[in-house]
């Protein structure tokens, strides 16, 4: 295939505009995966050198070869991967050849003892860790913007809606505080998943046997004196696992996890949660920005190809699309837990593109959520108008509670219901309809009745809840190097 033909089949985000141009898109591209696989190879050789089971010069030779510009072409590796089933096989061969060209004696130490899954899983964890850094930062930015909205509109009354209908009054501050809470939940879950991302090292079947054999061979040749002698023998794999984790900056697992896919499943679950949390924000913004509701609008609405008057909630739409995709992707990742033997045929392979898609979708959604939250316009006057749309029915819960001890619970509820129906039917203020009910007519003075039927006067504990929610701070995490 020519370069022009290769470009014609490249995925540049045309069908996924939420990810196009995002930082995470670049951090999860094919070049980023190749770089991460090479980083994993270099870290493995350096870890062996640190234990004295490989010469320090060999580790530097591998590192130099891995840094050769243009040597490792992703498209070429992809095509060559078809014969062996994964891209590490041709990459390891190419890396070994590159090392041999500069230092023939060092070539034997490239990819020594590792299986393809060790390198690709480690690379995947590196890619995920690097991609999550801007995602976490964007979630904090979105949370900050939502917190500012919650504080500004702590007491801005609006209709609360359940099952698409007006329920009782709430405040926009409480709604924004809820969005912020979900975004912080997403941040904390992803931060915890990121901290736990482990290196992978098990050798051919998860026993680390080859590394002990190579350590013994080095010791026998005298190349493993000192630290290498300590690392030789049956337990040579465990010190190497610790050194490899340190060299990559990833966590050290208790066991090789070739078929113990907890890290991938947990990451997939955290990504699905993050997508859903951002999706709640998007769903609410889409509804509240409907023409007939008009309580919020995006800072700059999206254009329509057919209708010049429209200002579509484009950012909310893109986030909502990601929120619907990622849980399905997470299902594939959870499915990988049912992996047979010491390496499965297909289950592991199904994870690769799936996880990348999930990372990209969440990365794009988080970046878009920042734009949405920072640019969101709130329209309190429409909120007030909508509160009055049912002629006071939105406070009938309050009225029934107040009248109950005065007229009896059942009688009060029935009378308030009749008054509400009359207010809607005759388009009269609710306080007048209540006056027309014989059971209720003289129970409350006029000024008290007007106060009780004012929907802005029935916020419950919304303000206090906002204050409490805004006290929350995200769980701190240390960026990986």
């Amino acid at each position: 295939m020519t370069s022009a033909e290769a470009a014609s089949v490249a995925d540049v985000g045309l069908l996924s505009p939420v990810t196009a141009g995002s930082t995470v898109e670049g951090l999860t591209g094919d070049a980023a995966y190749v770089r991460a696989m090479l980083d994993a190879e270099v870290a493995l050789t350096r870890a062996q050198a640190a234990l004295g089971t490989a010469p320090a010069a060999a580790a530097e030779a591998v590192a130099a070869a891995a840094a050769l510009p243009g040597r490792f072409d992703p498209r070429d590796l992809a095509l060559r991967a078809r014969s062996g089933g994964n891209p590490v096989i041709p990459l390891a061969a190419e890396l070994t050849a590159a090392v041999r060209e500069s230092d023939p004696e060092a070539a034997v130490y490239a990819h020594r003892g590792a299986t393809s899954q060790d390198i690709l899983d480690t690379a995947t964890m590196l890619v995920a860790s690097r991609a999550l850094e801007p995602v976490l930062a964007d979630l904090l930015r979105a949370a900050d913007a939502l917190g500012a909205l919650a504080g500004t509109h702590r007491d801005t009354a609006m209709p609360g809606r359940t099952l698409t209908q007006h329920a009782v009054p709430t405040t926009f501050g409480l709604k924004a505080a809820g969005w912020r809470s979900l975004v912080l939940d997403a941040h904390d879950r992803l931060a915890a998943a990121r901290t736990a991302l482990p290196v992978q090292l098990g050798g051919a079947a998860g026993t680390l046997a080859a590394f002990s054999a190579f350590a013994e061979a080095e010791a026998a040749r005298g190349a493993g004196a000192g630290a290498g002698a300590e690392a030789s023998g049956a337990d040579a794999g465990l010190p190497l696992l610790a050194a490899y984790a340190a060299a990559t900056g990833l966590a050290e697992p208790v066991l090789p996890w070739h078929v113990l896919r907890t890290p991938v499943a947990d990451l997939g679950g955290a990504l699905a949660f993050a997508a859903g949390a951002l999706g709640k924000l998007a769903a609410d913004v889409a509804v509240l920005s409907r023409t007939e509701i008009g309580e919020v609008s995006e800072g700059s609405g999206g254009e329509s190809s057919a209708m010049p008057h429209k200002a579509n909630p484009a950012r909310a739409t893109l986030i909502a699309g990601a929120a619907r995709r990622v849980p399905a992707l997470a299902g594939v990742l959870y499915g990988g837990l049912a992996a047979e033997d010491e390496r499965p045929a297909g289950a592991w392979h199904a994870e690769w593109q799936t996880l990348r898609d999930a990372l990209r979708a969440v990365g794009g959604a988080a970046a878009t959520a920042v734009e949405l939250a920072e640019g969101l316009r709130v329209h309190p006057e429409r909120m007030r108008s909508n509160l009055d749309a049912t002629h006071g029915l939105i406070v009938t819960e309050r009225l029934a509670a107040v009248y109950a001890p005065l007229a009896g619970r059942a009688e009060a509820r029935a009378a308030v219901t009749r008054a509400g129906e009359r207010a809607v039917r005759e388009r009269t203020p609710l306080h007048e309809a209540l006056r027309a009910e014989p059971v209720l007519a003289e129970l409350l003075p006029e000024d008290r009745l007007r106060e009780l039927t004012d929907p802005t006067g029935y916020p419950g504990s919304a303000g206090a809840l906002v204050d409490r929610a805004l006290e929350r701070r995200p769980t701190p995490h240390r960026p990986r190097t």
Side-chain angles (χ1 to χ4, degrees):
M1 179 178 289
T2 66
S3 58
E5 291 171 333
S8 72
V9 299
D11 180 357
V12 294
L14 182 66
L15 301 184
S16 184
V18 72
T19 68
S22 69
T23 301
V24 174
E25 182 186 42
L27 292 173
T28 56
D30 285 350
Y33 267 88
V34 170
R35 182 70 264 159
M37 288 188 287
L38 291 168
D39 290 344
E41 294 281 14
V42 171
L44 179 59
T45 311
R46 283 181 169 162
Q48 294 181 67
L51 296 178
T53 59
E60 294 312 309
V62 171
L68 290 173
R71 180 66 187 249
F72 306 93
D73 177 64
R75 181 64 177 175
D76 175 64
L77 294 173
L79 295 174
R80 291 164 62 186
R82 290 181 60 82
S83 63
N86 74 73
V88 177
I89 296 172
L91 179 131
E94 193 66 29
L95 177 62
T96 301
V99 174
R100 186 178 296 111
E101 291 170 7
S102 62
D103 187 344
E105 293 185 0
V108 69
Y109 295 98
H111 193 69
R112 190 177 67 160
T115 190
S116 297
Q117 190 169 2
D118 291 332
I119 300 303
L120 188 52
D121 276 351
T122 299
T124 298
M125 297 295 99
L126 288 172
V127 166
S129 181
R130 293 162 183 173
L132 287 177
E133 187 69 21
V135 174
L136 292 171
D138 282 338
L139 290 174
L140 290 182
R141 281 187 61 191
D144 286 345
L146 294 172
L149 286 171
T152 299
H153 295 281
R154 176 186 185 273
D155 301 311
T156 300
M158 66 177 294
R161 298 174 173 93
T162 61
L163 302 180
T164 76
Q165 305 297 301
H166 282 201
V168 296
T170 184
T171 68
F172 185 73
L174 185 57
K175 184 174 287 289
W179 294 339
R180 176 182 182 268
S181 179
L182 277 176
V183 170
L184 289 179
D185 286 344
H187 171 275
D188 291 353
R189 282 163 170 76
L190 283 176
R194 183 169 183 259
T195 299
L197 295 177
V199 74
Q200 176 74 283
L201 191 65
T207 65
L208 296 162
F211 299 110
S212 294
F214 285 124
E216 291 171 355
E218 290 294 325
R221 289 202 302 264
E230 296 176 5
S232 64
D235 64 348
L238 296 184
L240 180 59
L241 181 58
Y244 191 34
T248 60
L250 296 169
E252 180 185 353
V254 174
L255 297 171
W257 46 281
H258 291 161
V259 285
L260 309 174
R261 307 307 288 175
T262 300
V264 175
D266 280 350
L267 178 55
L271 289 168
F273 182 93
L278 295 171
K280 165 59 176 170
L281 163 64
D284 279 347
V285 168
V287 168
L288 296 179
S289 62
R290 289 177 184 269
T291 303
E292 60 271 25
I293 296 177
E295 293 174 0
V296 302
S297 57
E298 293 192 4
S300 56
E303 300 174 345
S304 166
S305 65
M307 294 167 283
H309 70 280
K310 293 194 71 179
N312 296 320
R315 293 172 184 82
T317 298
L318 292 177
I319 296 170
R324 285 161 172 77
R325 287 182 58 219
V326 180
L329 296 171
V332 175
L333 300 179
Y334 277 116
L337 289 167
E340 71 279 6
D341 300 327
E342 279 62 57
R343 184 164 300 110
W348 172 50
H349 306 73
E351 294 175 354
W352 306 342
Q353 185 68 31
T354 304
L355 181 58
R356 170 156 67 181
D357 287 347
L359 285 167
R360 285 183 166 182
V362 172
T368 306
V370 173
E371 299 175 4
L372 176 59
E374 292 181 346
L376 192 66
R377 292 183 291 177
V378 182
H379 308 298
E381 70 286 353
R382 287 298 299 269
M383 294 177 179
R384 179 58 210 240
S385 175
N386 289 335
L387 279 170
D388 295 331
T390 58
H391 304 281
L393 266 63
I394 198 166
V395 294
T396 55
E397 176 191 69
R398 182 188 197 185
L399 292 165
V402 170
Y403 277 121
L406 303 176
R409 182 176 179 182
E411 292 80 358
R413 181 180 179 86
V416 168
T417 299
R418 289 194 301 270
E421 292 172 348
R422 175 178 294 139
V424 173
R425 184 175 64 252
E426 300 178 2
R427 297 184 177 275
T428 60
L430 181 59
H431 71 273
E432 294 182 6
L434 291 166
R435 283 289 185 198
E437 281 294 320
V439 175
L440 310 176
E442 303 300 327
L443 295 180
L444 295 172
E446 180 69 18
D447 58 345
R448 175 59 173 158
L449 193 55
R450 287 179 178 272
E451 176 188 340
L452 289 172
T453 54
D454 179 3
T456 65
Y458 190 50
S461 300
L465 289 169
V466 171
D467 294 340
R468 182 163 70 171
L470 293 183
E471 292 175 359
R472 177 183 175 183
R473 295 294 178 265
T475 301
H477 74 284
R478 291 182 297 177
R480 290 195 182 277
T481 57

